[in-house]
């Protein structure tokens, strides 16, 4: 009865990668194998180095957004405005059907600017009636301003920008390395096939 050979013991991934290090003294490693392992080491170093670079980019982005928000806050003025219509119209009123969707928390109002009176749709935080006076935010020319991002929104944008930068750059590096690995593998298989053909060729 033929004795079965023991199954090969699987080698852990860290040990396998350590055996493929560029400075290995293994004589079976071809120059292309050493080039490929060197490329993998460089890729790992670049991907890790991109982390502090992305963090610095996120910090700079947060600082810039905070400066822009402070400049916007400094240019904003609060002025009174008189509502010309109810904020929440009754569903059975004619104006309710023609008001755009999503604008039920706004109403037309009139306010005074250095260049005269202006009229426009202003947001309100609570239901209000026509003739009621509310406070709105305008710029130096009296134009209605939108909401100014707070520190939390700026932080989210900065973190998103940092993660996006790292993902794009690291993805590009990893993709290039994957393509190079594919080329190395194809060349290695082609070379092995050539050697096998030479091995099977009988001597002349």
């Amino acid at each position: 009865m033929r004795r079965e050979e023991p199954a090969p013991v699987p080698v852990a991934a860290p040990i396998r990668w350590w055996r493929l290090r560029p400075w290995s003294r293994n004589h079976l490693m071809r120059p292309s194998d050493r080039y490929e392992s060197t490329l993998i080491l460089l890729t790992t170093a670049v991907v890790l180095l991109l982390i502090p670079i992305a963090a610095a980019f996120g910090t700079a982005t947060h600082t810039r957004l905070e400066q822009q928000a402070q400049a916007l806050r400094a240019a904003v003025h609060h002025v009174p405005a008189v509502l010309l219509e109810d904020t929440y119209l009754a569903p059975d009123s004619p104006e309710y059907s023609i008001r755009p969707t999503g604008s039920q928390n706004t109403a037309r109002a009139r306010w005074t600017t250095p260049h005269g009176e202006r009229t426009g749709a202003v947001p309100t935080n609570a239901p209000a009636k026509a003739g009621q006076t509310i406070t709105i935010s305008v710029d130096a020319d009296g134009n209605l301003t939108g909401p100014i991002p707070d520190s939390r929104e700026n932080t989210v944008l900065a973190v998103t920008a940092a993660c996006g930068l790292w993902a794009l750059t690291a993805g590009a590096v990893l993709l290039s390395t994957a393509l190079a690995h594919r080329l190395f593998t194809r060349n290695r298989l082609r070379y092995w096939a050539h050697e096998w053909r030479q091995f099977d060729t009988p001597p002349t």
Side-chain angles (χ1 to χ4, degrees), residues 29-187:
M29 289 186 64
R30 303 178 187 273
S32 60
D33 298 331
R34 299 184 188 277
Y35 296 153
E36 183 178 2
S37 58
T38 301
L39 179 62
I40 293 176
L41 287 178
L42 291 178
T43 300
T44 304
V46 170
V47 170
L48 294 177
L49 182 62
L50 287 174
I51 296 178
I53 295 178
F57 177 78
T59 302
T61 301
H62 184 267
T63 302
R64 178 173 54 83
L65 292 176
E66 285 292 316
Q67 292 175 350
Q68 292 178 355
Q70 292 178 2
L72 291 175
R73 294 189 189 100
V76 167
H77 304 281
H78 301 287
V79 298
V82 179
L83 295 179
L84 302 179
E85 60 181 0
D86 296 345
T87 303
Y88 291 88
L89 300 177
D92 56 350
S93 61
E95 293 84 359
Y96 183 86
S97 59
I98 62 176
R99 178 171 288 194
T101 304
S103 62
Q104 299 302 317
N105 60 339
T106 62
R108 293 177 62 253
R110 180 185 296 113
W111 64 93
T112 303
T113 70
H115 307 287
E117 291 188 345
R118 291 194 179 182
T119 303
V122 298
T124 56
N125 297 326
K129 298 293 184 179
Q132 184 176 342
T133 301
I134 62 173
T135 301
I136 62 174
S137 301
V138 297
D139 57 16
D141 296 329
N143 299 317
L144 191 67
T145 60
I148 300 176
D150 56 14
S151 180
R152 182 178 180 180
E153 294 175 344
N154 291 335
T155 301
V156 172
L157 289 176
V159 172
T160 303
C163 294
L165 175 65
W166 181 85
L168 289 176
T169 51
V173 173
L174 292 175
L175 179 60
S176 301
T177 303
L179 293 176
H181 172 71
R182 185 180 181 87
L183 292 177
F184 277 118
T185 302
R186 290 181 59 183
N187 291 334

Side-chain angles (χ1 to χ4, degrees), residues 23-34:
W23 56 87
S24 175
R25 297 181 179 180
N26 187 356
H27 298 288
L28 297 179
M29 289 186 64
R30 303 178 187 273
S32 60
D33 298 331
R34 299 184 188 277

